[in-house]
Amino acid sequence: MSEIETLVKELADKHGRKRESLIPILQGVVEKERYLSDEAMTEIARELDIAAAQVYGTATFYSFLDTVPRGKYVIRVCKTISCSMKNGNEVIKAISDILKIQVGETTPDKKFTLLEANCLGWCHKGPAMLINDTPYTELTPQKVREIIAEYNRK
Amino acid sequence: MANNKPLKKVDLIFSEAFLNRDELKEVLSRSADEVIQELLDSGLRGRGGAGFPTGLKWKFTRDQKDPEKYVVCNADEGEPGTFKDREILDRVGRKVFNGMALCAGTIGAKEGYMYLRGEYRFLLPKLYQILDEFHEDMKALGIDFHIDIKLGSGAYVCGEESALFESMEGDRGEPRNKPPYPTEYGFRGKPTVINNVETFVSALIISRIGAAEYQKLGTVDSRGSKLFSVSGDTPIPGIYELELGMTVEQFVNEFGDGDTKAVQVGGAAGFCVPRKKFNDTIIGFEGVPTGGSMMLFNSSRSMYNVLHNYLDFFKEESCGQCTPCRVGCQQLFLGIEAVKRGEKPASYLDTLLKLSQTMKITAKCGLGQSVGNSFHSIVNNFREEMIY
Ligand SMILES: Cc1cc2nc3c(=O)[nH]c(=O)nc-3n(C[C@H](O)[C@H](O)[C@H](O)COP(=O)(O)O)c2cc1C
Ligand code: SF4
Ligand code: FES
């Protein structure tokens, strides 16, 4: 069995093989692989015995279920109004400068992806961002530099 | 209007009371009729935004004959400017589960689900730990009710109740036609109570302190207290539990920075209140309703940028299922850009206003229907800023 086959089988054993199991399985693959490859989606369709188009249709609806390769650490910076009023743009620009990538891109070493997101639920402590699941708030260009340096050491 | 009174701060939601097993036992010992009557008397309306009377929702679901029913907690909290549900889950998660148990006992459900937005995944370990204790207590009390958590994956529209069920069932989060309403046809097509995180906590509080006590707070149309998420141009951003029925003026006196020009009440889907209307606008179901989002803007802010940001949000988050919303959000967004750049005359704003009105009537769900709220209230009150 290929690596992805094993992963999908494990996830299906854990979450079941019903239609309702689909999103938890997709989330499980993204957690492990950072994105859903065609191979992964076809494998999930086979495992759940549904059409691959249904898997693809569901996956592409959700912004966290990426269908293009992402870095090990996905950075999502809030661009909604309360954060943008607190100079959220500067934070995005700082990250972009540090990592030398534009929003939507991944570093060549596949370590970081920079994305924008809508309101993350930290508006009173903006600007805010998530790195994978972890929230960071009250960001400044300086703070962002330190956080990324920390991830770089990991 | 006597509106220079200071706001009344309340401490019910986050208080340490009603957290343990004995409290749960006490609450669950009451008959369904009693619980429903108390909720109806209290005047509690849903805290997620739409404001449907909670007692009625529970009653309609209880009255359904189908033996298979569900309790669902809406923890999708995606409305821009809202963050109070996160704080409730973080600080008093057990109260939410106790409130869901109260609902389950009342309507006759054996399974409950919480739909937690993917952005709050970091809360999962803590919530599972609280759930373990909760399930132990349910077992000790001999009650057959189990709660599970389903995780969202970054889609605002999934906060809409029928889209949320679709997502829980493993599909694209596309809203369903209504009616039938969830009380009749909800999760897995079964009668379902779906409430906001805060609503479950308020229901629990009411059944402990009684409707009479709760009624003392608020106004005829907006009873009780609720949490407000305050952000934007304010020296004291944060989460506050306030008695309902205040004017925007009172709110601004407390939270403004002395230069507030507008307050957006209810998030991107809500209404913009300009300074000249602060005095006679009540925050609540008799005036401008809110799920808690309160964003303040001072005179340094361009309301064009604010509206542009909201429309950018809506055009990204529209599920695209129905034409008025899919095309409408795009056109409103492109339209104000064109007016701003001078490619369209100022009168084009009136065409866009008509479009947003059409969306209100023809869009399938609350997302497309409410884009016009902020569009109208910002364009009409700040027309010059849209043009120059
Ligand atoms: C686009 C859209 C997004 C929504 N998002 C949420 C949400 O994040 N949380 C919530 O409680 N209600 C949300 N609602 C309202 C729900 O559809 C529903 O009315 C609410 O969960 C009912 O609970 P309540 O009566 O306790 O307020 C949303 C509605 C729409 C149209
Ligand atoms: S109004 Fe918008 S979000 Fe709602 S169903 Fe139509 S396209 Fe989807
Ligand atoms: S506006 Fe950025 S977290 Fe809400």
Side-chain angles (χ1 to χ4, degrees):
Chain A
M1 264 203 281
S2 76
E3 215 171 289
I4 201 79
E5 280 171 6
T6 315
L7 175 62
V8 169
K9 188 170 177 306
E10 267 171 30
L11 287 165
D13 287 341
K14 180 170 171 203
H15 297 292
R17 288 173 170 78
K18 294 183 304 225
R19 181 66 205 237
E20 275 176 27
S21 323
L22 177 58
I23 292 179
I25 292 174
L26 293 170
Q27 288 167 335
V29 173
V30 171
E31 189 181 357
K32 216 35 189 269
E33 305 279 310
R34 307 291 3 142
Y35 88 111
L36 295 156
S37 60
D38 288 354
E39 191 197 351
M41 286 189 278
T42 318
E43 188 51 34
I44 293 169
R46 211 187 49 75
E47 193 69 43
L48 300 192
D49 198 16
I50 53 179
Q54 283 183 311
V55 177
Y56 184 75
T58 303
T60 49
F61 186 85
Y62 297 92
S63 64
F64 284 12
L65 299 180
D66 291 304
T67 49
V68 290
R70 300 292 192 205
K72 185 168 173 209
Y73 302 114
V74 180
I75 307 175
R76 294 172 203 271
V77 189
C78 174
K79 67 174 160 88
T80 305
I81 192 77
S82 292
C83 285
S84 100
M85 281 161 64
K86 296 278 178 283
N87 299 323
N89 288 345
E90 280 176 25
V91 168
I92 295 172
K93 193 171 172 306
I95 300 174
S96 181
D97 287 348
I98 298 165
L99 298 177
K100 300 187 178 60
I101 51 172
Q102 300 299 311
V103 172
E105 294 177 351
T106 299
T107 51
D109 63 359
K110 302 268 185 296
K111 196 147 186 192
F112 295 99
T113 299
L114 174 59
L115 301 173
E116 286 180 326
N118 287 322
C119 183
L120 300 170
W122 292 95
C123 334
H124 57 323
K125 293 187 173 167
M129 69 178 182
L130 287 176
I131 299 186
N132 292 349
D133 295 335
T134 311
Y136 295 88
T137 59
E138 295 174 315
L139 298 171
T140 57
Q142 180 53 31
K143 217 167 146 180
V144 161
R145 205 170 300 278
E146 288 159 20
I147 294 166
I148 290 180
E150 203 180 299
Y151 275 86
N152 256 327
R153 282 194 294 273
K154 281 190 193 183
Chain B
M1 210 179 287
N3 51 21
N4 282 320
K5 279 191 315 189
L7 300 180
K8 180 151 177 198
K9 300 209 170 131
V10 186
D11 181 25
L12 289 170
I13 305 263
F14 292 118
S15 82
E16 295 294 307
F18 321 134
L19 282 166
N20 61 30
R21 184 191 297 181
D22 292 341
E23 286 292 346
L24 188 60
K25 189 172 171 192
E26 176 73 32
V27 169
L28 297 182
S29 66
R30 314 189 44 201
S31 78
D33 285 330
E34 259 181 288
V35 173
I36 288 175
Q37 197 54 49
E38 198 93 69
L39 281 179
L40 289 171
D41 291 344
S42 74
L44 177 66
R45 297 170 67 164
R47 299 309 195 207
F52 192 81
T54 308
L56 273 185
K57 192 181 270 191
W58 291 23
K59 182 175 183 304
F60 289 159
T61 312
R62 189 194 64 153
D63 291 348
Q64 292 288 324
K65 297 274 177 299
D66 200 318
E68 186 183 339
K69 298 176 185 178
Y70 296 97
V71 177
V72 175
C73 175
N74 189 339
D76 197 49
E77 189 161 64
E79 190 61 50
T82 325
F83 37 93
K84 46 117 191 157
D85 292 340
R86 173 181 49 69
E87 192 87 357
I88 294 177
L89 295 170
D90 196 24
R91 284 168 59 188
V92 288
R94 177 61 193 258
K95 273 186 168 172
V96 182
F97 298 136
N98 285 0
M100 290 174 73
L102 172 68
C103 178
T106 306
I107 65 165
K110 293 192 168 41
E111 275 179 61
Y113 290 91
M114 173 177 282
Y115 187 89
L116 183 72
R117 70 186 306 214
E119 291 84 344
Y120 292 171
R121 186 177 184 150
F122 70 97
L123 287 172
L124 269 186
K126 187 178 210 167
L127 289 174
Y128 277 130
Q129 194 193 334
I130 300 171
L131 261 188
D132 282 346
E133 290 163 23
F134 171 83
H135 286 135
E136 256 171 50
D137 287 353
M138 293 305 279
K139 205 167 151 200
L141 294 170
I143 295 165
D144 181 14
F145 177 59
H146 189 272
I147 297 177
D148 218 338
I149 302 176
K150 295 221 177 206
L151 207 58
S153 257
Y156 165 69
V157 72
C158 287
E160 196 281 337
E161 52 200 19
S162 62
L164 187 148
F165 300 139
E166 290 292 312
S167 180
M168 285 193 5
E169 291 170 16
D171 275 303
R172 295 164 67 85
E174 291 175 348
R176 302 170 179 167
N177 278 321
K178 285 193 269 185
Y181 292 98
T183 50
E184 200 184 309
Y185 188 91
F187 181 47
R188 295 178 182 152
K190 298 294 177 183
T192 303
V193 163
I194 175 163
N195 276 128
N196 174 255
V197 172
E198 185 182 352
T199 311
F200 281 116
V201 176
S202 295
L204 180 76
I205 290 167
I206 288 163
S207 93
R208 290 300 285 127
I209 68 173
E213 191 63 28
Y214 197 73
Q215 280 244 4
K216 287 183 188 160
L217 295 167
T219 63
V220 179
D221 288 320
S222 308
R223 289 286 181 208
S225 58
K226 94 167 290 314
L227 291 180
F228 288 86
S229 309
V230 184
S231 72
D233 293 313
T234 166
I236 44 170
I239 294 152
Y240 299 87
E241 184 173 0
L242 303 171
E243 177 176 8
L244 287 168
M246 68 195 131
T247 62
V248 179
E249 175 98 12
Q250 283 171 291
F251 179 85
V252 168
N253 286 343
E254 179 86 20
F255 295 101
D257 60 0
D259 185 27
T260 308
K261 95 166 163 188
V263 181
Q264 180 78 15
V265 183
F271 297 85
C272 181
V273 182
R275 187 183 289 154
K276 62 177 185 288
K277 293 183 186 156
F278 284 175
N279 200 19
D280 50 16
T281 306
I282 292 178
I283 301 167
F285 298 109
E286 58 269 72
V288 278
T290 175
S293 173
M294 303 291 288
M295 297 186 268
L296 295 97
F297 303 108
N298 70 22
S299 59
S300 76
R301 304 294 173 186
S302 149
M303 296 312 287
Y304 170 83
N305 286 347
V306 173
L307 182 60
H308 191 264
N309 191 278
Y310 291 161
L311 291 174
D312 182 46
F313 172 79
F314 283 126
K315 81 171 168 40
E316 278 184 20
E317 299 293 347
S318 164
C319 83
Q321 189 187 182
C322 67
T323 315
C325 171
R326 181 183 63 246
V327 178
C329 291
Q330 295 279 352
Q331 290 305 315
L332 293 178
F333 180 81
L334 295 172
I336 63 161
E337 284 191 340
V339 171
K340 191 75 177 179
R341 284 198 300 259
E343 290 162 16
K344 293 272 184 194
S347 62
Y348 190 62
L349 287 173
D350 300 313
T351 311
L352 296 176
L353 282 166
K354 256 192 239 153
L355 170 61
S356 76
Q357 200 61 37
T358 308
M359 287 169 68
K360 197 176 214 109
I361 304 165
T362 54
K364 183 169 176 178
C365 86
L367 191 152
Q369 289 160 9
S370 56
V371 174
N373 295 346
S374 47
F375 194 83
H376 259 249
S377 53
I378 294 178
V379 169
N380 283 332
N381 289 305
F382 299 96
R383 199 176 166 100
E384 329 72 64
E385 292 191 30
M386 301 301 123
I387 303 165
Y388 305 110

